[in-house]
Amino acid sequence: MIADVVVGLQYGDEGKGKVTHQLAKNGDYTHVLRFNGGCNAGHTIYHEGRRFVTHHIPAGVFYGITSIIGPGCVINTAKLFEEIEELESAGINVSDYLLIAENAHVITDFHIAEDSKDKEIGTTRTGNGPAYRDKYARKGVRAEHVPELEHFLVDIFEELHLSSDVVVLCEGAQGFGLDIDWGDYPYVTSSHCTTGGAISCGIPYTAIRDVWGIAKAYETYVGAKDFEGDDPLFDQIREVGSEYGATTGRPRQVGWLDVGHLIRSSYINDVTKIVINKCDILDELKVWRVLDDENVVEFDGANDMEEWIDGLFPNAEVIFSRSPHEI
Ligand code: IMP
Ligand code: MG
């Protein structure tokens, strides 16, 4: 088996959907595997000139690649069927390619009702946290026990380990700063957003070829904690960069790219490639700043900033992207 992994290096919304979609198009993948999260995620994908936002469904379906919702995910069954319907009515064949790990968990109405009362964390109110809590409390419901999902069920061991020439692209959701272990607890999601999350879905660590860490040229966060500083440029970045939640429509709080955080997330994920998205937004505002050890560092232009960032990662290829459609 060969596996590539796509992970978020910040707080989600870094552009993982775009990168996964492009890799699926150009690569030789037999499978795309979503390894964490559920319908809290919103992956924005431009496919053949049209904009899609996926929540559960891995980006492999756009290219007729077997797409698995992995054991680290939680599924809202009704929402999943809506999502299938939406993609199919736009001409994307989902039914023939979608598989669901029998040991993935489901989100129940009870989980949603409970999460909808959240005030402390600023969750997406999609029932994610309670579903994971019940999974770990050993009171959860697995996909294998939901009759509507039966048609899609698969055993990851049989699907990925008993066939030859498997090349799998692992699509992460959320990001390092929201990871249950590495994020800013308790302002986190309830799943494993790192490369480790892919491994625990049945991907042997020796199979991993590339880990694509995705970041933005600035940071955004949605949730209850105070994240945004008082620089008026953050308002401009939010508008020019359309920084509003793809799942909830909430305005995202903005900050400068924290390089200490980026280094940390890159090492813990063991990235080989780093994509810094939305460099065009800073270009448009003609401001190139990062946060280094809580100090704002200002650069004269994009080249200076990019050279400096590149120098921080001798072991990874750093790619600076300026297009919502491709790297
Ligand atoms: P939950 O995952 O709905 O429990 O939300 C926990 C935290 O993660 C909140 O701050 C959410 O805004 C954030 N979050 C969850 N999923 C995403 C995502 O896909 N993008 C960005 N933030 C997310
Ligand atoms: Mg998103």
Side-chain angles (χ1 to χ4, degrees):
M1 193 194 302
I2 295 172
D4 290 334
V5 182
V6 176
V7 290
L9 297 178
Q10 294 162 331
Y11 300 88
D13 306 317
E14 304 96 343
K16 294 176 295 294
K18 175 185 86 169
V19 175
T20 311
H21 178 259
Q22 185 174 338
L23 291 175
K25 178 183 181 189
N26 298 335
D28 51 353
Y29 301 105
T30 56
H31 296 80
V32 178
L33 170 77
R34 256 290 295 276
F35 63 83
N36 74 297
C39 51
N40 51 353
H43 289 179
T44 306
I45 288 170
Y46 291 88
H47 182 72
E48 294 172 353
R50 284 173 302 168
R51 181 178 182 272
F52 294 89
V53 180
T54 59
H55 301 285
H56 297 91
I57 298 176
V61 295
F62 292 97
Y63 294 106
I65 303 170
T66 303
S67 292
I68 312 174
I69 299 177
C73 297
V74 289
I75 301 157
N76 176 326
T77 306
K79 281 257 157 61
L80 173 66
F81 281 106
E82 275 172 29
E83 202 181 328
I84 294 173
E85 178 63 40
E86 210 177 295
L87 288 176
E88 298 231 309
S89 63
I92 312 295
N93 182 343
V94 178
S95 308
D96 288 342
Y97 298 104
L98 184 67
L99 296 175
I100 298 174
E102 54 196 10
N103 48 345
H105 275 246
V106 297
I107 298 172
T108 64
D109 291 344
F110 173 75
H111 294 144
I112 298 165
E114 195 182 341
D115 199 21
S116 68
K117 290 185 221 127
D118 164 78
K119 285 196 183 71
E120 292 79 31
I121 308 298
T123 73
T124 57
R125 301 188 162 186
T126 48
N128 256 257
Y132 281 109
R133 182 203 54 211
D134 282 355
K135 166 179 171 172
Y136 288 101
R138 293 156 295 174
K139 296 190 287 198
V141 181
R142 279 182 162 184
E144 62 189 332
H145 295 124
V146 179
E148 298 100 295
L149 298 179
E150 197 180 338
H151 164 75
F152 299 103
L153 295 179
V154 70
D155 175 351
I156 292 282
F157 170 66
E158 286 173 8
E159 182 67 26
L160 297 182
H161 289 256
L162 298 185
S163 335
S164 44
D165 303 324
V166 167
V167 187
V168 50
L169 178 59
C170 304
E171 177 179 357
Q174 290 87 41
F176 187 81
L178 294 173
D179 179 81
I180 182 73
D181 292 318
W182 296 101
D184 187 11
Y185 193 91
Y187 299 102
V188 295
T189 192
S190 300
S191 67
H192 297 284
C193 314
T194 62
T195 305
I199 293 170
S200 71
C201 278
I203 302 297
Y205 73 93
T206 50
I208 296 175
R209 176 174 59 185
D210 277 314
V211 176
W212 291 77
I214 318 304
K216 275 194 298 215
Y218 49 88
E219 291 185 353
T220 61
Y221 158 83
V222 228
K225 74 173 173 184
D226 264 341
F227 179 84
E228 187 165 300
D230 44 16
D231 194 324
L233 280 165
F234 294 149
D235 275 331
Q236 293 186 39
I237 291 180
R238 183 166 30 251
E239 294 318 311
V240 177
S242 312
E243 295 297 349
Y244 293 87
T247 300
T248 58
R250 292 178 293 174
R252 298 171 180 154
Q253 300 185 58
V254 179
W256 302 118
L257 171 70
D258 183 332
V259 293
H261 189 242
L262 191 67
I263 290 171
R264 202 175 151 80
S265 56
S266 297
Y267 276 75
I268 296 288
N269 281 297
D270 198 15
V271 302
T272 57
K273 315 266 188 192
I274 298 173
V275 179
I276 313 263
N277 280 318
K278 289 195 155 177
C279 294
D280 52 316
I281 307 302
L282 297 189
D283 294 351
E284 196 170 329
L285 295 173
K286 295 196 166 39
V287 45
W288 299 276
R289 289 183 194 166
V290 300
L291 207 58
D292 183 16
D293 206 10
E294 295 180 21
N295 300 309
V296 176
V297 183
E298 174 118 32
F299 298 90
D300 292 335
N303 279 349
D304 289 358
M305 177 165 151
E306 290 173 16
E307 248 172 59
W308 186 79
I309 292 174
D310 195 43
L312 301 171
F313 299 98
N315 301 320
E317 181 189 352
V318 188
I319 299 153
F320 298 90
S321 172
R322 296 184 150 71
S323 154
H325 307 275
E326 56 191 5
I327 298 170

